[in-house]
Amino acid sequence: MIIKSAEFQCSNTRTDKLPPPVLPEYAFIGRSNVGKSSLINMLVQKKGLAKTSQTPGKTQLINHFLINENWHLVDLPGYGYAKTSRSNRADWQKFISFYLRNRENLQCVFVLIDSRLEPQKIDIEFCSWLGENGLPFQLIFTKADKQSRVKTDQAVAKFRKALLEIFEEVPQHYITSSETQDGREEILHFIQGLNSTFTR
Ligand SMILES: Nc1nc2c(ncn2[C@@H]2O[C@H](COP(=O)(O)OP(=O)(O)OP(=O)(O)O)[C@@H](O)[C@H]2O)c(=O)[nH]1
Ligand SMILES: [Mg+2]
C-alpha cells in the first residue's frame, strides 16, 4: 500500500468524543515505551506525527490519525508503567477497555511486544483479555534492530509458546524495527486486505 497522506485528527480522553465510527480503524497497544508511536510514524513515514519519548508514559490519550483519507491508525497510551499511580492505572483500564470493546469500526488490535524480553505476564494477560472479549489481534515484535535475528526468533517462539497455553491458535506476528523499517510492508499489506473488506 502506498501512503499518500497521514494527518493527526484528534486526541481524546473521553470515548464519547471519538470520530464517528465510519472508517476502518487499527489500534496499537502494548507496554509503555515498547515503541507504539514510533511504529506508527514508521508505517506512514512521517517522523514526529505521533509523539515519541525515551521516557515511558508519553502517550496519554487516544490519538486518531487519518491515513490516505480513508482509514484510521490509533495510538494508545501504554500499559504497565510502574510509576503510574493505582488510580491512573484503573482509569487506563476503564477507558481503554471501553474503547476496545465498543469501537465497532475497529478491525484489528496490534499488540506490541518488546522482542528483547522474555514473555511478560502483563502482555500475556492482555492478549488473554482480548481473546475473552472476542477482539481480533495480531502480534508485533518491536525493536528488532537492537539484537540479532536469532535472538528475536527465540523471543518470538517463547512468546508464542506461552500464548499456546491459553489459545488454541496463535495469531499472525510481525517482526519490526522503526529504525530499519522492517515489517512495514507486511503490516500495511495486512491492513490493506482488511480495508478492502470493510463495510459500514
Ligand atoms: N532502536 C530502536 N528504538 C526504538 C524502536 N521503536 C521505538 N524505539 C525507541 O523507544 C523509545 C519509546 O518509543 P515510543 O514510540 O515513544 O514508545 P511508546 O510505546 O509509544 O511509549 P508510550 O507512549 O510511553 O507508551 C523511544 O526512545 C524510541 O526512539 C525501534 O524499532 N528501534
Ligand atoms: Mg506513545
Side-chain angles (χ1 to χ4, degrees), residues 33 35-38 50-53 57-60 63 75-78:
N33 210 241
K36 300 173 290 296
S37 303
S38 304
K51 298 282 170 285
T52 66
S53 168
K58 176 69 183 172
T59 310
Q60 291 291 337
N63 297 294
D75 192 14
L76 294 171

Side-chain angles (χ1 to χ4, degrees), residues 31-38 52-54 56-59 78 143 145-146 177-179:
R31 289 166 62 247
S32 274
N33 210 241
V34 70
K36 300 173 290 296
S37 303
S38 304
T52 66
S53 168
Q54 290 176 1
K58 176 69 183 172
T59 310
K143 308 193 185 185
D145 59 284
K146 290 207 175 207
S177 162
S178 300
E179 296 289 317

